[in-house]
Amino acid sequence: MTDSTKTSNPRTEPLAETDPRTNGAAAHRGDEAAEPSQAIRASEHSGMAKIRVEDLNFWYGDTHALKGITMDIQPNRVTALIGPSGCGKSTLLRCMNRMNELIQGTTLEGRITLDGQDIYDRKADPVMVRRRIGMVFQKPNPFPKTIYKNVAWGAKINGFTGDMDALVERSLRQAALWDEVKDRLGAPAYDLSGGQQQRLCIARTLAVEPDVVLMDEPASALDPIATSKVEETITELKNDYTIIIVTHNMQQASRISDETAFLYMGKLVEMNRTDQIFTRPQNDRTEAYVTGRFG
Ligand SMILES: Nc1ncnc2c1ncn2[C@@H]1O[C@H](COP(=O)(O)OP(=O)(O)OP(=O)(O)O)[C@@H](O)[C@H]1O
């Protein structure tokens, strides 16, 4: 993306700031052995996985929620995480932008990199990680503010000093909401329908110019028409972003994703192109799940 409204490109900023924070609640079992940050920049890593998960284990207290997960997330694709309830989809998604470490008593082992940089490196700034890896939640959660302020807020607190009107318009256009709200940007966000609120939350996430957008069942609270709008939006977004989506909806996964990962009881069973997973899965359990025989 090139745009004159940008003052800096967060996508090429290293994850470690000059004032590193390492105060997350999650213990990182690899900390003792952590190497100093190598400050690798995104642009130096074209051609490799956008996100790489390496032998990831995660515990809530004694609950071993993720067991040895290794996967590559390709850039500018939609990757779907599927699997029965409790298999670890949301946990894995939240590990990808360090949201889980906000929960007390959790432990993480293994490595997750964004463009080759370890997001759990002791010098990586969790705020910067979440800026480059944004998240959209299951339930639309706009702030009790105007439509405009909802989109502008994140950029403002991140120090954006460019043309805010242009940034708000661009973000709303990318989220396919501009035409529906352009004449009422000063109206409360709560006046919007549920589907519009979810696209507003997508616009809010995009306004801080992330590299990757994580979506945790973004359409599960929406009716079929709003769902198809959100799905269209996601399909458009992959031109500019890498998208990872958790969904229980098999039709949705097959409609919008390029790659699908099937998880079962905290383990990655199979990951492949979506058409392969749905038509020629390698594993019997994957087949049973995608054909609706369990889950
Ligand atoms: N905050 C938490 N504290 C303790 N255990 C948790 C917490 N969140 C999730 N778990 C446990 O971790 C495991 C994985 O849960 P997770 O929510 O990641 O699964 P999921 O596949 O996303 O499920 P669902 O499809 O029902 O949302 C489950 O055993 C769950 O009970």
Side-chain angles (χ1 to χ4, degrees), residues 23-27 58-61 90-91 94-95 98-108 130:
N23 58 350
F58 188 86
W59 291 260
Y60 297 99
S90 298
T91 301
R94 290 194 302 257
C95 283
R98 297 185 57 167
M99 289 287 280
N100 270 342
E101 71 183 8
L102 302 172
I103 303 170
Q104 292 291 331
T106 57
T107 308
L108 180 140
R130 290 179 205 124

Side-chain angles (χ1 to χ4, degrees), residues 60 63 65 84-91 94 103 217 248:
Y60 297 99
T63 304
S85 187
C87 70
K89 304 177 295 293
S90 298
T91 301
R94 290 194 302 257
I103 303 170
E217 299 189 59
H248 277 117

Side-chain angles (χ1 to χ4, degrees), residues 136-142 175 177 180 184 188-202 217-230:
V136 175
F137 297 89
Q138 183 170 7
K139 223 167 145 258
N141 57 350
L177 188 59
E180 291 160 64
R184 48 175 173 147
Y190 290 158
D191 285 359
L192 298 174
S193 70
Q196 288 172 326
Q197 287 186 17
Q198 192 60 309
R199 279 178 285 139
L200 180 65
C201 293
I202 293 172
E217 299 189 59
S220 65
L222 307 179
D223 65 39
I225 292 171
T227 296
S228 78
K229 269 272 185 197
V230 168

